[in-house]
Amino acid sequence: MSDTAEHTTGYLLGHAALEQRRLLIQASYVRPWTARLLRRAGLTEGMSVLDIGSGLGDVAFIAAEIVGPGGRVVGVERDPATVETARRRAASMGFTDIVSFANADLTEFDPAGSDPAWRPFDALVGRFVLQYLPDPAATLRHLAGFVRPGGIVVMHDMDISNPDVSVPRCALWNDCYALLSALFRAHGIAPDFGRHLTRVFLDAGLPWPDVDSGAMTGGKPGSTVFTWLGSAVQAVEPLLRQAGIALPDGLVVDDKLVATLERAVQDSRSMVLGNTHYGAWTRLHNGPHRSERP
């Protein structure tokens, strides 16, 4: 991973209403992929799960559905307002007996601080969180220390660095997509972070992971991939301007952007790509800090 600027500490995209809306849209779209990843990695009924960078709670809720009433899920999120929203969502979805949320920085989190009787977790999970950390391997090593020997670590991250995301080429789609990658680079965050998960796991002292990948695709009228990109650009527009990243000529970022993107793609008769997903998982055979080498 090569950063082109000083790495921003904390979550780049903030916690404003537009970003929370974007996160809910994204969570709905990627939910099936995350659920398959967690099950494939070995998440099952009765497990205890630590969900890091829990945000609004969507991954914690997927984990809760998998582990069921005999399991438990603890989500860790640093933004207190987001934690309160996640707790309200858990209550409205009937998950309060399974899911709880802790307000803490991941680098400082210690489950014994809030529960002296805690026991090591069966699984550590996280989605779209490691790439925002100044030292993802060190933080992953720290958090894997709360997983029992024989437990699993599962991370779901992304790659938004692809410059060729429409066939035939749709200029507006490609230009809007490129804004996200440019913003990440401007803040020293690797837009292709998902490709580096194996190295991060090994640098954290974890066993060599299995890795799977897949890309969001769309083009058909009504595809949620339009909402994904349109809501993302709308949410980050203030950050783009702060970073001095120019918008494409003639682009108006407003509530009509989703429809504008869809029309452009339909006119181009294109298949378009969203972000590429990478899932990595491993089992801690002999504790969290022993690295396996080929």
Side-chain angles (χ1 to χ4, degrees), residues 36-51:
R36 287 194 298 270
L37 171 63
L38 296 183
R39 291 184 185 278
R40 185 175 181 185
L43 221 66
T44 189
E45 291 184 12
M47 279 187 164
S48 59
V49 180
L50 178 62
D51 172 38

Side-chain angles (χ1 to χ4, degrees), residues 9 13 52 64 76 131-132 147 156 158-159 163 165 189 223 235 286 294:
T9 300
L13 305 182
I52 60 171
V76 183
Q131 69 190 127
Y132 297 108
V147 179
H156 179 178
M158 63 177 165
D159 176 0
V165 287
I189 298 172
S223 171
N286 298 299

Side-chain angles (χ1 to χ4, degrees), residues 1-289:
M1 290 171 292
S2 60
D3 293 343
T4 57
E6 183 179 354
H7 195 294
T8 300
T9 300
Y11 181 52
L12 169 63
L13 305 182
H15 303 279
L18 273 176
E19 172 58 9
Q20 291 199 353
R21 172 177 172 267
R22 184 196 72 80
L23 287 173
L24 291 173
I25 291 168
Q26 176 176 264
S28 176
Y29 194 91
V30 304
R31 177 184 173 85
W33 205 92
T34 302
R36 287 194 298 270
L37 171 63
L38 296 183
R39 291 184 185 278
R40 185 175 181 185
L43 221 66
T44 189
E45 291 184 12
M47 279 187 164
S48 59
V49 180
L50 178 62
D51 172 38
I52 60 171
S54 199
L56 298 173
D58 291 279
V59 175
F61 302 146
I62 295 173
E65 291 178 358
I66 295 173
V67 303
R72 68 185 178 99
V73 181
V74 176
V76 183
E77 167 58 44
R78 66 177 295 174
D79 180 65
T82 301
V83 170
E84 288 306 313
T85 301
R87 288 171 177 162
R88 289 195 297 270
R89 294 184 73 206
S92 69
M93 299 168 73
F95 282 136
T96 50
D97 291 338
I98 305 174
V99 181
S100 62
F101 294 97
N103 181 201
D105 187 289
L106 294 179
T107 61
E108 302 171 356
F109 175 70
D110 182 351
S114 56
D115 181 8
W118 82 279
R119 293 180 297 173
F121 294 91
D122 297 310
L124 170 68
V125 305
R127 182 173 73 188
F128 304 161
V129 58
L130 291 181
Q131 69 190 127
Y132 297 108
L133 302 176
D135 191 339
T139 304
L140 186 59
R141 174 187 287 267
H142 165 66
L143 295 165
F146 303 124
V147 179
R148 64 171 177 82
I152 59 176
V153 175
V154 195
M155 292 291 124
H156 179 178
D157 277 284
M158 63 177 165
D159 176 0
I160 54 170
S161 67
N162 190 349
D164 186 15
V165 287
S166 59
V167 180
R169 186 177 187 276
C170 174
L172 182 63
W173 184 269
N174 286 26
D175 289 347
C176 285
Y177 189 98
L179 292 172
L180 304 182
S181 182
L183 180 62
F184 275 53
R185 288 193 175 95
H187 286 265
I189 298 172
D192 63 345
F193 184 86
R195 301 185 193 184
H196 302 274
L197 277 176
T198 292
R199 179 62 181 272
V200 171
F201 270 54
L202 296 180
D203 285 351
L206 305 183
W208 200 288
D210 290 289
V211 181
D212 195 8
S213 67
M216 298 170 65
T217 58
K220 181 179 179 180
S223 171
T224 52
V225 73
F226 302 125
T227 310
W228 168 79
L229 183 57
S231 65
V233 172
Q234 189 175 10
V236 304
E237 183 193 16
L239 297 175
L240 293 169
R241 297 189 184 281
Q242 290 171 18
I245 299 170
L247 297 178
D249 290 342
L251 178 66
V252 177
V253 179
D254 57 16
D255 291 336
K256 298 178 182 178
L257 180 56
V258 172
T260 300
L261 284 167
E262 183 166 351
R263 282 196 304 272
V265 170
Q266 300 304 311
D267 290 345
S268 301
R269 300 171 63 85
S270 301
M271 181 190 76
V272 296
L273 301 182
N275 54 7
T276 300
H277 304 278
Y278 285 84
W281 67 95
T282 194
R283 188 171 292 276
L284 307 182
H285 298 295
N286 298 299
H289 304 311

